[in-house]
């Protein structure tokens, strides 16, 4: 068990007025134990209690280390595993449950009166995960280093006639060659007018001179995600393309320069949005400025006009303004930033100056 992370969850649980919680999200359990299990349809849960009698419920099919640091309750497919859970829960107190708990597990526990009530308590885990400890920060740095290296190695493959799909597949291969564990998400590659679709999936469109080349991609390293977007131009750039690119870069850099502990996250969004709106492209910036990231590419917390939280040391989130001109082009520039005690550390080092690939 990662005791510092468990303690953080328990502190947030106390703030919610709860003494116990059942976590069934495998990714959150990985965050707390360091062990990733994919249970498929089977029950898998971590019970946390402020009394300290934590237990993890694992099917006998799964292999786990002896020194997991928490009492293990093993069961087979035919055992009454929910009875075992109900016997563990303090029925005199309400039970916190996470947002991933399936109804096929929750409803039987409610029927058994396993607790005095059932409360959605995902915030206890989400808020703990939003503040990365030193080990997590190091892994996120390494994941971003691999991402930088991968996009740099991809550049020679950006040639006339290559398809979006081919470029995306080549990038996957580069990640493997660099030693990444896997993908944060399937690479998004868009040429020309396709880039005006913020989440365009690669297709057979082939690169031609004058196209913009938008690449949004990320890999994982020891379970932690990277995410970065760069936009290039192939062979030439028009005055309009240059104007849009430089405006997006300015919005990205202004927002990053403002990141510091205590700043409202919505203020970062406003800085970038106002920069783009001042040049008349406000309606073309169609998404939030950023999202939190860690063991998942999109975690709880966002950088948007609706965000209510303040930045705090240990937060890692994206800064990714964009301008999308339908039928013409799209430009997005994205970095990950780590909030430090006095500002921020930009995890991506790949240059952002406008680049024309010849």
């Amino acid at each position: 068990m990662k005791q510092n992370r468990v303690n953080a969850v328990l502190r947030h649980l106390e703030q919610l007025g709860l003494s116990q919680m059942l976590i069934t999200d495998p990714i959150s359990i990985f965050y707390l134990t360091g062990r990733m299990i994919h249970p498929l349809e089977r029950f898998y849960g971590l019970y946390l209690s402020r009394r300290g009698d934590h237990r993890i419920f694992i099917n006998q099919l799964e292999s786990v280390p002896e020194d997991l640091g928490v009492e293990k309750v093993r069961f087979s497919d035919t055992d009454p595993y929910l009875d075992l859970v109900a016997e563990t829960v303090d029925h005199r107190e309400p039970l916190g449950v996470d947002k991933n708990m399936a109804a096929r597990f929750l409803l039987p526990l409610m029927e058994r009166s396993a607790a005095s009530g059932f409360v959605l308590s995902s915030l206890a885990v989400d808020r703990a995960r939003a503040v990365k400890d030193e080990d997590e920060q190091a892994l996120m740095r390494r994941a971003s280093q691999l991402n930088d290296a991968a996009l740099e190695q991809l550049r020679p493959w950006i040639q006339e006639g290559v398809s979006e799909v081919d470029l995306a597949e080549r990038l996957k291969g580069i990640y493997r060659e660099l030693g990444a564990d896997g993908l944060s998400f399937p690479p998004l590659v868009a040429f020309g007018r396709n880039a005006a679709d913020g989440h365009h999936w690669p297709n057979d469109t082939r690169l031609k001179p004058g196209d913009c080349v938008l690449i949004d991609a990320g890999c994982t390293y020891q379970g932690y995600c990277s995410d970065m977007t760069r936009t290039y131009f192939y062979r030439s750039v028009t005055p309009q393309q240059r104007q849009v690119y430089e405006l997006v870069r300015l919005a990205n850099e202004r927002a990053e320069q403002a990141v510091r502990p205590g700043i409202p996250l919505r203020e970062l969004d406003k800085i970038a949005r106002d920069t783009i709106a001042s040049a008349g492209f406000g309606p073309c910036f169609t998404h939030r400025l950023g999202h939190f990231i860690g063991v998942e590419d999109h975690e709880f917390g966002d950088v948007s006009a609706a965000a209510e939280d303040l930045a705090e040391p240990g937060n890692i989130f994206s800064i990714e303004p964009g301008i999308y001109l339908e039928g013409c082009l799209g430009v997005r520039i994205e970095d990950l930033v780590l909030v430090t005690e006095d500002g921020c550390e930009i995890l991506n080092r790949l240059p952002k100056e406008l680049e024309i690939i010849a």
Side-chain angles (χ1 to χ4, degrees), residues 34 45 90 169 192 242 277 294 317:
D90 186 343
E169 289 302 313
R242 185 180 295 276
F317 48 80

Side-chain angles (χ1 to χ4, degrees), residues 164 187-203 205 212-216 229-231 284-287 320 322-332:
E164 294 172 344
L188 304 179
V189 177
F191 300 156
R193 66 178 62 191
N194 291 346
D197 178 355
H199 275 173
H200 170 77
W201 291 104
N203 60 29
T205 299
C212 63
V213 179
L214 189 153
I215 303 171
D216 184 349
T229 306
R230 290 293 184 267
T231 305
C284 304
F285 182 8
T286 55
H287 53 77
E320 49 179 303
I323 293 177
Y324 310 95
L325 305 182
E326 186 175 356
C328 185
L329 81 151
V331 172
R332 182 164 65 251

Side-chain angles (χ1 to χ4, degrees), residues 1 3 6-7 10 13 19-21 46-56 69-71 88:
M1 291 274 274
Q3 196 57 52
V6 171
N7 291 342
L10 293 175
L13 203 59
S19 64
Q20 56 182 348
M21 181 177 185
L46 176 62
Y47 173 76
L48 296 182
S49 167
R50 283 163 49 198
R51 299 186 304 274
D53 54 338
H54 313 316
R55 294 180 188 178
I56 190 165
V70 60
E71 181 180 348
T88 298

Side-chain angles (χ1 to χ4, degrees), residues 32-149:
L32 293 167
T33 66
R35 181 70 178 184
M36 187 66 202
I37 289 177
H38 300 282
L40 302 177
E41 77 280 5
R42 295 178 174 86
F43 181 79
Y44 176 48
L46 176 62
Y47 173 76
L48 296 182
S49 167
R50 283 163 49 198
R51 299 186 304 274
D53 54 338
H54 313 316
R55 294 180 188 178
I56 190 165
F57 297 85
I58 310 175
N59 192 284
Q60 290 176 354
L61 286 171
E62 305 295 345
S63 174
V64 291
E66 289 300 320
D67 59 346
L68 197 58
V70 60
E71 181 180 348
K72 295 182 283 293
V73 180
R74 306 302 296 262
F75 57 88
S76 71
D77 287 345
T78 57
D79 288 334
Y81 54 89
L82 290 178
D83 287 343
L84 299 175
V85 176
E87 291 167 5
T88 298
V89 174
D90 186 343
H91 67 274
R92 300 165 299 180
E93 297 285 339
L95 176 68
V97 296
D98 64 19
K99 57 182 177 285
N100 297 77
M101 191 166 184
R104 67 180 183 276
F105 303 135
L106 176 59
L107 293 178
L109 288 175
M110 295 174 70
E111 292 167 358
R112 287 168 169 78
S113 299
S116 65
F118 295 82
V119 181
L120 182 63
S121 57
S122 297
L123 280 178
V125 181
D126 288 340
R127 293 201 176 279
R129 282 173 54 177
V131 179
K132 272 57 181 178
D133 60 31
E134 291 185 1
D135 290 342
E136 292 180 287
Q137 292 174 24
L139 293 173
M140 293 290 291
R141 286 190 189 95
R142 181 56 181 155
S144 288
Q145 289 169 359
L146 291 174
N147 210 19
D148 283 352

Side-chain angles (χ1 to χ4, degrees), residues 2 5 25-37 44 222-224 295:
K2 308 286 187 180
R5 302 176 193 175
D25 174 20
I27 294 176
S28 290
I29 297 176
F30 163 75
Y31 163 77
L32 293 167
T33 66
R35 181 70 178 184
M36 187 66 202
I37 289 177
Y44 176 48
Q222 293 187 22
Y224 280 78
V295 289

